[in-house]
Amino acid sequence: MRHISKISDLRDQLRGQNRVAFVPTMGNLHEGHLSLMRIAATHGDPVVASVFVNRLQFGPNEDFDKYPRTMADDAAKLEGENVYVMFAPTERDLYPEPQDYRITPPNDLGNTLEGEFRPGFFGGVCTVVTKLFNCVQPKVAVFGKKDYQQLMIIRRMVDQMSMPIEIIAAPTVRDPDGLAMSSRNRYLSAEDRAEAPHLYRLLNELSKEVQSARPNGEQLLQLQAKYLATLQERGWKPDYFEARRQVDLMRPTEEDLSNQTPLVILAAAKLGQTRLIDNLEIE
């Protein structure tokens, strides 16, 4: 595996490769990330993975400085998955001057859910992903469904900007108790780790209620409020727990609910000092 930090060296290494499959990451890799590498290998060759903690997507009071950086361990894991290039630029490599040009998603998608509680987050994500796409120039790129809203925003961006890249959605990888794998799970105390899978259990409970009761709009709001209250009673600090349309993440209309339009339940809540996100599709 080649370990490359400079953009010019990356372009030299990939010259003539027209089936590159790309997986962007912020490192601290776990089985969820490695599953993306395997999926990438079925859609292209060679596989390129980036490791870069992107300052632009962190708010002023978020965990940029303490975000886990495990470069040597990451490199060993990627080599074990037969990744061809590990692209690990420094900030100076990727942002040699202040990044004044930004890619900002539309308000209806970028300022709701995660965008409401993390202002500027998706602008930082879209900007760095655009730069990474320009550096790697992949044929396909793989993103996990755990970051459901991010996946949709990237897919829309690629479509509207006419980027010749196919975006592959990969299923969320979970621990045996249901907790979605995340680099931030390592922040959980032993007590919080035991409680954390309850978020996914509540997603499943709401999904079952929606499928069995077929609620109208007012009833759905009441159900969502019930699950928010349940999280609070268990010691969580929830930001949202909502069912949205899969196609565009808009709130479902009465017609959507009566026609059983595919929905997705998205949740974000803080447990102790750790903020967790998860989602579950309802067909």
Side-chain angles (χ1 to χ4, degrees), residues 104-272:
T104 304
N107 289 337
D108 62 344
L109 186 56
N111 289 344
T112 188
L113 299 169
E114 282 297 282
E116 177 182 350
F117 291 93
R118 301 184 67 187
F121 170 69
F122 287 119
V125 169
C126 288
T127 299
V128 75
V129 169
T130 298
K131 291 201 78 166
L132 290 169
F133 282 170
N134 284 333
C135 294
V136 178
Q137 298 188 13
K139 175 187 176 184
V140 299
V142 183
F143 291 81
K145 281 190 175 184
K146 176 179 169 290
D147 298 295
Y148 202 92
Q149 188 176 7
Q150 173 180 281
L151 168 65
M152 179 169 289
I153 286 174
I154 295 299
R155 184 172 271 158
R156 292 269 185 96
M157 179 185 77
V158 165
D159 181 56
Q160 289 204 4
M161 302 299 285
S162 300
M163 298 179 183
I165 304 168
E166 180 185 1
I167 303 300
I168 306 296
T172 300
V173 177
R174 300 181 181 278
D175 285 330
D177 58 8
L179 179 63
M181 290 188 178
S182 169
S183 297
R184 289 186 169 94
N185 289 352
R186 65 165 52 195
Y187 298 156
L188 294 166
S189 67
E191 181 181 359
D192 290 340
R193 177 61 186 81
E195 168 63 22
H198 209 79
L199 184 63
Y200 184 53
R201 295 185 195 124
L202 291 179
L203 289 172
N204 277 281
E205 288 179 21
L206 177 55
S207 173
K208 291 174 183 176
E209 288 207 61
V210 170
Q211 290 175 306
S212 62
R214 306 288 168 82
N216 60 30
E218 181 60 33
Q219 292 167 335
L220 179 59
L221 290 175
Q222 292 171 358
L223 284 172
Q224 291 173 170
K226 180 181 77 171
Y227 285 99
L228 278 173
T230 300
L231 282 171
Q232 290 172 328
E233 291 165 3
R234 297 184 67 91
W236 297 68
K237 296 178 181 177
D239 287 338
Y240 57 84
F241 198 105
E242 294 192 28
R244 298 288 185 98
R245 297 193 310 209
Q246 287 184 26
V247 66
D248 56 10
L249 294 189
M250 299 294 287
R251 290 185 172 89
T253 64
E254 295 292 348
E255 184 178 1
D256 292 326
L257 294 171
S258 64
N259 292 340
Q260 299 179 44
T261 297
L263 304 177
V264 56
I265 310 170
L266 304 107
K270 197 170 185 180
L271 181 61

Side-chain angles (χ1 to χ4, degrees), residues 28-46:
N28 192 225
L29 304 180
H30 50 67
E31 178 58 29
H33 294 109
L34 301 183
S35 73
L36 304 184
M37 309 301 160
R38 296 169 201 140
I39 291 171
T42 68
H43 290 275
D45 179 42

